[in-house]
Amino acid sequence: MSKRPLSFGTWPSPITATDVARHEGAPNWPVALGEEVWWAEPRPSESGRVALCRTRLDDPGRGTETVLPAPWNARSRVHEYGGRAYALLSGTAGAAVVFSEFSDQRLYVLDPGARGAPAPLTPRPDTPSALRYVEPVISPEGDHVLCIREEHTDDTEAGVRRAIVAVPLDGSAATDPAAISVVAVDHHFLACPRISSDGRHLSWIGWDHPNMPWDSTHLRVAELRDGRATGTRTVAGGTDEAVVQAEWADATTLYCVTDPDGWWTPHRITLDVDGALAGGPDSLVGDRAEEFGGPLWQLGACWMAPVPDGRIATVHGTSATRIGLLRPDTGELADVDTPHTEWAGKLTLAGADGGTLIGLAAAPDRPAALVAVDLRDGSWRELAGGAEADAAHGSTVPFAAYLPRPEARVFTGVQGREVHANHYPPLHPEATGPAGEAAPYVVWVHGGPTSRTPMVYDQEIAYFTSRGIGVVEVNYGGSTGFGRAYRERLRGSWGVVDVEDSVSVAQGLVAEGLADPARLAIRGGSAGGFTSAAALAFSDVFRCAAIQYPIVDLAGWRTGETHDFESQYPESIVGPWPSAKDVYARNSPVDHAEDITAPFVLLQGLEDEICPPVQCERFLSRIRGVPHAYLTFEGEQHGFRREETIRTAIEAELSLYAQVFEFETDVPRVELRP
């Protein structure tokens, strides 16, 4: 069938903003207990809450079950980004669950077999959400849950304290705070508490300001004696080395993912019976130039899982990731054969013998799915999400025909440096652009900025490409996935390198004749919103921008306008405060707002503690005569979770492009006013 030539942006697409919003609810954070597999599932249609669901490996016909009903919301606010907010234990009929409830941040226990409501395990603080819990681990005895507790006493750095605590599972601490015991107080930030197989030792990861967990962390080991950590020592990590995960294989073997050689790779640490360092850290894969770990934006990430047969299941790769089975004694790494091209750092083991690996995986033509891999024979199946996700969300559209065919690209940037990107050309089964005409393109900039955008099935991208608008995601210098040297390109240069790399990718597509230089846009959220705003202020390449919950004032962000976790992040990627105050002003969009001439839409959640609305308001007060729209959303924090918000945001973005690039669209018109 020949394709009809139609103006870019006007191609008729069946993918609606509602489809995009509903598809945001992919499975997340798998946890297993025997044959039961649980996961967290965002529900945009249920006010953005996070439900808990489960299935059984030994009963495929049973299907999936939502265990945690509305309005319960299993989500932690530790670091504001949270992480794994629940753990499983034996209940009266199958697994029970301990989880952090978003509304008050208390821990609750729910035993589905008992058919009761969730019961609180922790006390109600005097100030709402002042006590927060994340990354729970059930004690070997099964009578306590260990987790990281974050305590807020005031709005200063000194007013935020963290500790590893033990909470009794009998509910006594719900009314008696003294029943909670403090197991360890160490660095300002804590992650990854793990108990050795014999219950004698506890390990965790710690770091302090101004470091971020991808800069410098310490892996700590202590003896557990009478419920307290004693004799704490550092066994890995340090200056310019970041341990991001550690797991016990047995009583004296501790595996960790760390980067002394510039790449996150698995290492082995051997302890003596008293917990003293006896050997290591020794690399298990030599000098492989690929990542086996990632940035600890959320607590509870798991890129490797020691298997009972002695192997280690591990996520690894660079611009794409896969699952490998590593033999620690030989370094042999054999990949599991599945069609998935991107595996998240969220692994767990299931089955009576721990012989089934559960992970989250996707591909450009496969939605994110919960995947079970039989480690005996390599067979696999999808348990939730995946190919049937669209039908489950109420859609009957054959999306496959409208999905772009992406490719990983490397562009040449300023000073000849490599810039990694994911290229999604416009694609439609029945339409094409006018002969000899290049397409409009949008550069997508990920958040972080120390992060990476994977090349996977994404209905939001398809929403635009199926209408004739190209998308290119830039993993600019500073991104993870390409080694420490690549991610440290951003040191002292945030607002410079990221903007330069975004411009270089856009100009590279123009030079190839793919993108129209008069119809280039940029969009991003959080740190991506910062880069998008900076690109309008510091370049003339982009004709418009969609800016979501951004940082726009670096000085304000460094001096109290964000949460504790990132409050000193600019020390490395901008410069030391206040001696580098001029750099903060030079690189901040808010200080150059009068230089912006391109239209934009600005979208902001009103409950955002990470990038608060005050930054947007200050930025807008300095904009002069530029058509723009400012849309705010009640009940939204950092990142949009509610179906109606996601739908409004994506339609506003398309309306912006239609007005600036002069094509017709049927979405509600967003009013752009000076």
Side-chain angles (χ1 to χ4, degrees):
M1 178 186 296
S2 61
K3 295 186 178 184
R4 292 182 298 154
L6 295 173
S7 297
F8 289 111
T10 67
W11 299 355
S13 173
I15 303 175
T16 69
T18 298
D19 291 320
V20 175
R22 289 177 176 172
H23 198 267
E24 292 296 307
N28 201 359
W29 298 114
V31 177
L33 183 65
E35 298 293 330
E36 281 195 41
V37 178
W38 290 49
W39 64 94
E41 187 171 285
R43 297 281 176 86
S45 62
E46 298 177 17
S47 299
R49 81 178 186 99
V50 177
L52 293 177
C53 306
R54 69 178 174 181
T55 190
R56 289 191 65 90
L57 293 176
D58 57 359
D59 187 6
R62 182 172 175 176
T64 65
E65 173 191 4
T66 298
V67 188
L68 189 66
W72 293 95
N73 188 353
R75 181 176 154 214
S76 170
R77 285 187 58 189
V78 170
H79 295 179
E80 293 299 340
Y81 292 111
R84 181 172 56 78
Y86 74 103
L88 301 180
L89 65 156
S90 296
T92 55
V97 63
V98 172
F99 69 97
S100 174
E101 160 59 30
F102 180 74
S103 62
D104 60 10
Q105 289 299 290
R106 299 169 76 186
L107 284 182
Y108 288 78
V109 62
L110 171 66
D111 185 349
R115 301 186 181 279
L121 293 178
T122 56
R124 186 185 303 277
D126 294 334
T127 302
S129 299
L131 296 174
R132 306 171 184 183
Y133 307 86
V134 75
E135 211 170 351
V137 177
I138 306 300
S139 67
E141 300 79 15
D143 56 355
H144 285 75
V145 56
L146 271 70
C147 56
I148 296 166
R149 181 181 69 187
E150 183 178 270
E151 182 179 5
H152 293 251
T153 57
D154 57 48
D155 293 332
T156 68
E157 178 184 324
V160 181
R161 299 192 293 263
R162 296 176 184 87
I164 299 172
V165 299
V167 178
L169 290 169
D170 61 7
S172 58
T175 55
D176 179 14
I180 297 176
S181 59
V182 175
V183 179
V185 176
D186 194 39
H187 293 272
H188 186 62
F189 297 100
L190 302 170
C192 202
R194 299 290 188 270
I195 304 170
S196 63
S197 58
D198 61 358
R200 293 184 57 190
H201 293 95
L202 176 71
S203 64
W204 67 89
I205 296 168
W207 69 96
D208 297 295
H209 282 313
N211 289 307
M212 298 300 288
W214 41 85
D215 295 327
S216 173
T217 67
H218 296 83
L219 175 57
R220 309 277 275 165
V221 172
E223 184 180 355
L224 278 176
R225 184 178 299 170
D226 298 326
R228 300 289 193 276
T230 63
T232 302
R233 70 215 68 170
T234 296
V235 297
T239 303
D240 296 325
E241 181 182 346
V243 184
V244 293
Q245 186 192 352
E247 304 291 341
W248 294 92
D250 54 44
T252 59
T253 304
L254 183 63
Y255 293 127
C256 70
V257 178
T258 186
D259 67 340
D261 299 319
W263 295 87
W264 277 311
T265 56
H267 288 65
R268 176 169 47 208
I269 296 167
T270 305
L271 307 176
D272 63 24
V273 292
D274 295 321
L277 183 63
D282 299 316
S283 176
L284 301 181
V285 295
D287 57 356
R288 295 177 70 110
E290 59 178 327
E291 301 282 34
F292 289 73
L296 272 180
W297 279 106
Q298 293 185 304
L299 302 184
C302 183
W303 293 274
M304 68 166 182
V307 182
D309 65 11
R311 294 178 295 174
I312 301 173
T314 181
V315 175
H316 68 108
T318 50
S319 58
T321 58
R322 50 201 180 277
I323 283 290
L325 293 171
L326 173 66
R327 295 189 180 278
D329 293 336
T330 65
E332 178 187 354
L333 183 65
D335 288 338
V336 175
D337 185 16
T338 81
H340 308 92
T341 58
E342 186 71 30
W343 288 78
K346 294 172 182 176
L347 304 178
T348 191
L349 295 174
D353 59 355
T356 301
L357 178 71
I358 309 296
L360 296 176
D365 59 349
R366 303 184 73 91
L370 194 70
V371 181
V373 178
D374 190 321
L375 297 177
R376 292 170 288 266
D377 59 15
S379 61
W380 62 274
R381 57 190 169 102
E382 293 182 347
L383 302 178
E388 298 181 1
D390 299 326
H393 293 137
S395 174
T396 58
V397 175
F399 285 124
Y402 296 88
L403 295 178
R405 308 291 186 263
E407 59 177 342
R409 294 286 308 273
V410 180
F411 291 85
T412 300
V414 175
Q415 299 179 343
R417 63 178 177 245
E418 291 185 344
V419 182
H420 293 271
N422 305 325
H423 178 213
Y424 296 80
L427 182 68
H428 192 285
E430 299 174 358
T432 188
E437 186 175 315
Y441 261 82
V442 185
V443 172
W444 285 28
V445 189
H446 64 68
T450 310
S451 186
R452 178 179 73 92
T453 185
M455 191 167 63
V456 294
Y457 179 104
D458 190 328
Q459 278 195 18
E460 190 170 13
I461 291 176
Y463 178 86
F464 292 103
T465 57
S466 63
R467 286 169 167 78
I469 301 171
V471 170
V472 60
E473 299 174 311
V474 181
N475 284 312
Y476 48 85
S479 300
T480 55
F482 309 99
R484 180 179 279 265
Y486 191 87
R487 74 177 183 265
E488 290 190 346
R489 284 185 187 175
L490 210 59
R491 282 188 170 270
S493 299
W494 193 24
V496 178
V497 167
D498 49 323
V499 172
E500 290 176 346
D501 287 358
S502 298
V503 167
S504 294
V505 169
Q507 292 177 329
L509 291 173
V510 170
E512 294 174 17
L514 298 174
D516 182 349
R519 293 185 290 179
L520 294 175
I522 190 168
R523 67 100 83 164
S526 189
F530 166 81
T531 301
S532 299
L536 295 191
F538 305 138
S539 81
D540 60 0
V541 171
F542 301 104
R543 298 297 181 260
C544 60
I547 305 168
Q548 301 177 344
Y549 39 91
I551 303 136
V552 288
D553 184 350
L554 292 173
W557 213 58
R558 175 62 185 86
T559 56
E561 289 180 356
T562 192
H563 58 152
D564 177 58
F565 177 62
E566 292 181 87
S567 62
Q568 295 189 34
Y569 192 3
E571 290 287 299
S572 62
I573 56 177
V574 182
W577 181 267
S579 61
K581 188 175 182 179
D582 60 328
V583 181
Y584 283 72
R586 186 167 65 242
N587 293 7
S588 286
V590 74
D591 291 300
H592 301 272
E594 68 278 3
D595 296 328
I596 292 177
T597 59
F600 61 89
V601 292
L602 183 58
L603 305 117
Q604 177 68 44
L606 293 178
E607 296 178 8
D608 194 336
E609 297 288 338
I610 298 170
C611 297
V614 65
Q615 291 233 332
C616 288
E617 294 160 6
R618 189 178 304 132
F619 176 68
L620 291 173
S621 72
R622 301 180 186 182
I623 293 292
R624 296 291 179 265
V626 178
H628 68 276
Y630 180 43
L631 305 182
T632 60
F633 302 97
E634 295 279 357
E636 292 284 9
Q637 297 87 43
H638 196 64
F640 301 146
R641 294 173 174 84
R642 300 185 177 196
E643 180 179 325
E644 59 271 25
T645 304
I646 299 168
R647 181 177 61 248
T648 298
I650 196 171
E651 290 181 340
E653 184 176 350
L654 181 60
S655 176
L656 168 72
Y657 301 152
Q659 293 177 60
V660 175
F661 298 154
E662 298 181 339
F663 61 80
E664 295 297 324
T665 182
D666 58 359
V667 300
R669 181 183 177 88
V670 64
E671 292 298 323
L672 302 176
R673 298 176 179 175

